[in-house]
Amino acid sequence: MSSGKIKIYIDGKLIECDKNKTILEVALENNIEIPHLCYDKRLLPNGSCRLCIVEVEGEKRPVASCTYPVFEGMKVYTNTEKIINFRKLTLQLIVSDHPLDCMTCEKSGDCLLEKYAYEYGIKEVKYYGEKAKRKMKDGSPFIVRDYEKCILCGRCIKVCEEIVGVNAIDYKNRGFVTEINSGFDESLKDTECLFCGNCIDICPVGALREISAERKGRDWEYKKIKTICPYCGVGCGIVVYVKNNEIVKIKGDKESPVNNGFLCIKGKFGFDYVNSKDRLKKPLIKENGNFKEVDWEKAIDFIYEKLKFYKDNYGSDSIAGLSSAKCTNEENYIFQKFFRCVLKSNNIDHCARLCHSSTVVGLSQTIGSAAMSNSLEEIEKYSDCIIITGTNITETQPVTSYRIRKAKERGAKIIVIDPREIEISKIADIYIQPRYGTDVVLFNGIAKIIIDEKLYNEEFIKERVENFDEYKEFIEKFDLSLVEKISNVKIEDLRKVAYLYSKSKASVIIWSMGITQHITGTENVFCLSNLALLTGQIGKKGSGLAPLRGQNNVQGACDMGCLPEFYPGYNSVNNRKTIERFENLWNEKNLPDKVGLTVVEIFENILKGKIKCLYIMGEMPLISEPDILHIKEALEKVEFLIVQDILFTEICEYADVILPALCSFEKEGTFTNTERRVQKITKCIGNFTCAKPDWWIINEIARKFGYEWGYNDVWDILKEINNVVEIYQGITPERVKNDEKIQWPCFSKEDKGTETLHIGRFKRGKGLLKIVEYKEPFELPDKDYPFLLTTGRILQEYHSRTMTGKVKGIEEIVGEEFLMMNEEDAKENNIKEGEKIKVVSRRGEVVLKVKLSKKLQKGTIFIPFHFYANILTHTKLDPYSKIPEFKICSVKIKKFEKLKNSRIINV
């Protein structure tokens, strides 16, 4: 018998199991059915429903199997006459206080109470008397709260508390009048409820339901199709409920290794855009300022003639393209292949430039690979110390924050380093609030403590790190007193971080755009890498560097080579071996071998007259780019603009031709999530318009140029990716269709993939310590513009709001576009909650409603970038990665009395 294992008997069957399990856990793992209503394996058990009772030899009374631990030699009996009668009694008592409307109940066919009543033969109400008078409560805009059906199992309360960490609901009263309540019996909209919908999915009866699915059908009427959420980089598994070719509702996929069935508001409710009236249905060509519907043949002919004209008359460098982190790996692959093979241009980029290009450049230099080094499950189960910096994780990747909460429950120590007091800081063991733009000096300070106090891992450094002596010499000269002066963080707090991080068995650093979107973004990443290399906190379970990707396939778009400096698989464009390899693989001569333009440079070169033609696939630069009035000017100037998208967005107004594409629910392919996991998206509904998959559109244009690549479907493209992209070699169509969800690198069909990177060695050989000097941000507050503006995301919205902006319920919750302001600043400027003010920078101005906050540092204004914050931001770039500094610029505020239906002033 293996260590930690014991032997028990269940109904006479000998079972070997872990000694730290409960009876119910062991039974379910061995396919022994024990009925239960309150238990869910993802939550802590509480034994409240008493339906899971069993007999244990030696115990005088039945025990709740969900809370009773196993022990060596235990004998359990799950179906004795005594136990069956007890269960029947429990069910009869529950049914006696339950509405008997199963024939019309929305949950019929998926209700555990209905299932067990059937199995135990509960045909009639045996106990009559007064019923609990539980009423319907307001859960709009998304949730039906039909508490007449509530059985008080507590699952909804527990998922809200244990997983989401919100406590929006709880028990009210005791005994017969107990009920579930929100706040002071308020509407959910007036509580802290995040509308993640996890309470609906975990409810075992019909008490909680989706408003949008009412009277649309019952469980057996739906097709249930597994696919991947189209929103953030977590890549949650979802189950799509389809009836009459319409998405009726979505649930989390409990079998997904990514999210274990849990979702956020966007994944659960954010699908209305699929049937939006703004969906593009046919190709459109602009004639005399108006769009005219045409067929695909005419649209492709038109594009071919224009692209050929610009290539022949102005050269390949006159054409540029923006691919999309929202499109599949296969679509991004064919997009960059089209540009390189057909148009002979490396002017290809996408939104990764604006979020993690500094991570890509930084980690590529220091350890050879910029991807997240550990899985989300590893962080939950194995990380003992978790540093969270530069990411408001509960809003940007809520499901990842659920993992952090479970890690905390397990005993992991949480360190939060962020200028803004974010939600996750509530559970932090250490919370540090530095000034904006001081990351380099802060992390250099931690590194100095690690070196001065000999907390570094000498053996790891000797075997796996280079440049230590030079780095040590630099750090020893570093003045620690500067840290407190510049960052406003006490040295003693840094010392706590240094000791906890370096001494923990497995430490991980998690970051996102609060680290990367600076002119020192790459250097910030160098500093984080330095900490991991000094302490050896990388290359083992739960230990490493974890940059969280923002969009559903931003990792995959980078992997596929939709970057001006890399061919697929991160092969440098200016390396002769790369060119020779791809010329051989693609059977194409004269591939472009100089680094192309980044997204910001593309628009600059449009204004300079160098870029004549722009092809945009699934991007919305009028929201995502810095200084968007500058972008607007470029879009007005570009001679020929192709827009390929699922919806008619603001950018379509500037297009010469618009191509209608299918959304992820209407096609197949793969997404690669933040933890390098390649997952299949599945066609859930048919599209009966003329819209096509993005790969088909690009392939048809290439065919017009005479290129016959032989792709009959998306899986033919993945087969080519297997041959071209080394880290994807073993992630074949067959394995993807078998739902294997493999993490790259995967080098063969037998390879199971790689959960943890950098075990034993780094891709570049040895890890490189980088010397980094502190530099101030480009534009800090001054007497003319005395406030610091920072930007970011909010939970309910996604990127440019192209998709979430079509969801009525989300817009109802978010309300009017807003900014956040420190309460003291507001008082000093005589500004009140809900008032509209004008925010002005050197680039432009916006008018937004004010929300007051104690969580912002004094002198700081926060504007969600979804609300046109980038009218205000500047275009100064990080010199290494060319990422703009979205996180810091200077602004001033003005009182604004009246706004006439415009968010932008003086455009």
Side-chain angles (χ1 to χ4, degrees), residues 37 93-95 97-99 113 132 134-136 145-157 169-171 176 178-181 203-209:
L37 288 170
L93 287 169
I94 293 172
V95 167
D97 201 34
H98 198 78
L113 181 59
R134 301 187 190 103
K135 300 177 182 177
M136 295 279 288
R145 301 167 72 198
D146 186 357
Y147 286 133
E148 187 184 23
K149 299 181 189 296
C150 179
I151 59 171
L152 300 174
C153 68
R155 284 192 188 190
C156 57
I157 295 171
I169 51 178
D170 205 343
Y171 289 114
F176 187 70
T178 304
E179 61 180 336
I180 309 294
N181 193 50
C203 179
V205 292
L208 299 170
R209 310 186 298 272

Side-chain angles (χ1 to χ4, degrees), residues 226-461:
K226 290 188 177 185
T227 189
I228 304 302
C229 177
Y231 284 104
C232 81
V234 177
C236 292
I238 57 176
V239 182
V240 182
Y241 284 62
V242 175
K243 183 180 176 184
N244 299 329
N245 200 46
E246 178 188 355
I247 298 174
V248 177
K249 60 184 176 182
I250 286 174
K251 291 183 180 290
D253 180 3
K254 291 182 184 179
E255 296 178 356
S256 169
V258 176
N259 59 307
N260 294 326
F262 298 122
L263 296 175
C264 75
I265 182 174
K266 297 185 288 290
K268 175 69 178 173
F269 297 113
F271 56 87
D272 290 2
Y273 69 91
V274 177
N275 292 316
S276 168
K277 61 181 175 56
D278 293 325
R279 283 297 300 273
L280 294 166
K281 297 176 178 64
K282 291 185 177 181
L284 303 170
I285 290 176
K286 187 178 282 181
E287 293 182 0
N288 300 318
N290 296 310
F291 287 109
K292 178 183 176 182
E293 290 185 350
V294 297
D295 60 26
W296 276 106
E297 184 178 3
K298 185 169 182 179
I300 288 167
D301 286 347
F302 180 55
I303 291 168
Y304 163 74
E305 290 166 5
K306 288 289 187 177
L307 289 176
K308 189 174 187 303
F309 170 80
Y310 286 108
K311 183 184 174 189
D312 292 347
N313 289 277
Y314 297 98
S316 297
D317 289 342
S318 70
I319 306 170
L322 299 181
S323 75
S324 178
K326 291 178 280 293
C327 292
T328 66
N329 286 320
E330 296 73 24
E331 289 162 341
N332 278 291
Y333 176 84
I334 193 174
F335 187 88
Q336 62 81 34
K337 183 179 179 182
F338 171 73
F339 261 77
R340 287 171 167 137
C341 287
V342 179
L343 301 179
K344 301 292 190 256
S345 174
N346 280 326
N347 293 336
I348 316 151
D349 209 0
H350 71 291
C351 67
R353 181 68 48 195
L354 309 174
C355 57
H356 270 296
S357 57
S358 40
T359 296
V360 172
V361 173
L363 293 186
S364 293
Q365 288 191 31
T366 63
I367 58 176
S369 172
M372 189 169 166
S373 60
N374 307 83
S375 72
L376 296 174
E377 184 177 28
E378 274 185 73
I379 293 170
E380 177 186 329
K381 294 183 177 179
Y382 298 103
S383 298
D384 300 303
C385 172
I386 302 170
I387 294 181
I388 300 168
T389 181
T391 173
N392 190 0
I393 195 168
T394 53
E395 304 226 12
T396 58
Q397 280 201 4
V399 176
T400 299
S401 78
Y402 305 165
R403 296 273 195 181
I404 302 298
R405 291 185 183 281
K406 294 298 284 185
K408 173 73 174 179
E409 181 184 284
R410 173 178 52 81
K413 301 298 184 183
I414 311 297
I415 299 169
V416 175
I417 303 173
D418 202 289
R420 190 154 59 110
E421 188 183 334
I422 56 177
E423 188 67 23
I424 203 74
S425 64
K426 290 179 180 178
I427 65 167
D429 296 276
I430 301 172
Y431 170 50
I432 289 175
Q433 193 173 21
R435 292 191 179 106
Y436 283 92
T438 62
D439 302 285
V440 166
V441 75
L442 181 82
F443 292 118
N444 276 349
I446 296 172
K448 181 171 178 62
I449 293 167
I450 288 171
I451 285 180
D452 287 355
E453 303 187 22
K454 294 187 168 43
L455 302 174
Y456 55 88
N457 187 327
E458 291 187 58
E459 184 179 350
F460 184 88
I461 290 169

